[in-house]
Amino acid sequence: MSVSKKVILIGHFGVGKSSLVQRFVHQKFSDQYITTIGVKIDKKIVKVGDMDVTMIIWDIAGEDSQQKIPASYKLGAHGALYVFDISRPSTFENLQAELESLNDVIPGIPVQVLANKMDLVNDEERGMILSRLPVQGVFETSAKTGLHVEEAFKQLAEKMV
Ligand code: GDP
């Protein structure tokens, strides 16, 4: 059996959303910033048990404010990856409120939170930051090294079916 699911990437500018998609779909990483504004749609098939889940991954490039993201981007989404940058507190200071506002627009869908750029922090910083977060089950990822990227997308696929 196969199903198709719309997945959206949410999070501040520069946290690594596009890089995570690049890593997951194309097994690549680039140090360059993509500054084009627009929505990119990628897809990848993930196996959950004996089901093929086609993840249609929507990513907004070049948008610096979550508020400016059109509702149409979020509508119809079956799941979301909320990404922050563990090396930049401003990207996770309002995590709780931002997750709540996401839930207001698309209530009840599974949201997987990713603490990205794990390669930039040491164990001590990592432990301190993660223990203070208001949410559980955060995936520690690095689009640069590939750490847990596959697992994070797969976990969301499992939650969506
Ligand atoms: P977006 O605006 O959220 O889509 O962020 P990008 O994917 O464009 O990434 C912004 C910058 O962070 C780029 O220079 C990336 O190369 C870099 N970056 C993304 N993920 C990682 C990571 O896991 N580790 C490191 N060190 N840099 C990363």
Side-chain angles (χ1 to χ4, degrees):
M1 214 177 98
S2 67
V3 288
S4 217
K5 300 286 177 189
K6 174 177 172 179
V7 173
I8 53 170
L9 272 287
I10 303 279
H12 292 222
F13 183 66
V15 294
K17 298 181 294 296
S18 300
S19 303
L20 287 160
V21 178
Q22 270 284 107
R23 164 65 70 190
F24 178 60
V25 179
H26 307 289
Q27 292 81 42
K28 277 193 290 203
F29 178 78
S30 154
D31 274 318
Q32 276 160 11
Y33 259 95
I34 299 162
T35 46
T36 333
I37 293 183
V39 177
K40 280 189 300 169
I41 300 176
D42 260 301
K43 68 174 184 181
K44 182 161 166 167
I45 300 171
V46 167
K47 268 222 172 301
V48 178
D50 45 15
M51 196 177 319
D52 283 333
V53 182
T54 302
M55 301 181 86
I56 316 282
I57 307 164
W58 291 50
D59 172 34
I60 283 201
E63 184 52 84
D64 58 349
S65 155
Q66 289 298 300
Q67 272 68 47
K68 285 194 228 145
I69 292 178
S72 57
Y73 174 74
K74 296 174 183 164
L75 288 178
H78 300 101
L81 291 171
Y82 185 96
V83 185
F84 68 84
D85 175 347
I86 188 113
S87 72
R88 233 172 355 121
S90 63
T91 69
F92 55 84
E93 268 162 7
N94 299 313
L95 186 60
Q96 185 86 45
E98 284 171 12
L99 288 174
E100 278 165 19
S101 85
L102 178 61
N103 190 57
D104 288 343
V105 185
I106 32 170
I109 65 159
V111 180
Q112 183 64 57
V113 180
L114 273 56
N116 192 43
K117 306 200 188 180
M118 287 306 295
D119 58 289
L120 296 181
V121 291
N122 62 36
D123 271 353
E124 196 186 338
E125 292 168 315
R126 173 191 158 275
M128 201 169 66
I129 294 167
L130 293 177
S131 68
R132 287 184 188 162
L133 287 179
V135 291
Q136 304 277 306
V138 173
F139 257 89
E140 300 167 35
T141 63
S142 168
K144 186 167 186 173
T145 68
L147 177 79
H148 296 154
V149 176
E150 192 85 22
E151 291 90 331
F153 278 87
K154 193 144 190 222
Q155 170 99 351
L156 183 66
E158 283 166 10
K159 287 188 188 168
M160 288 188 301
V161 296

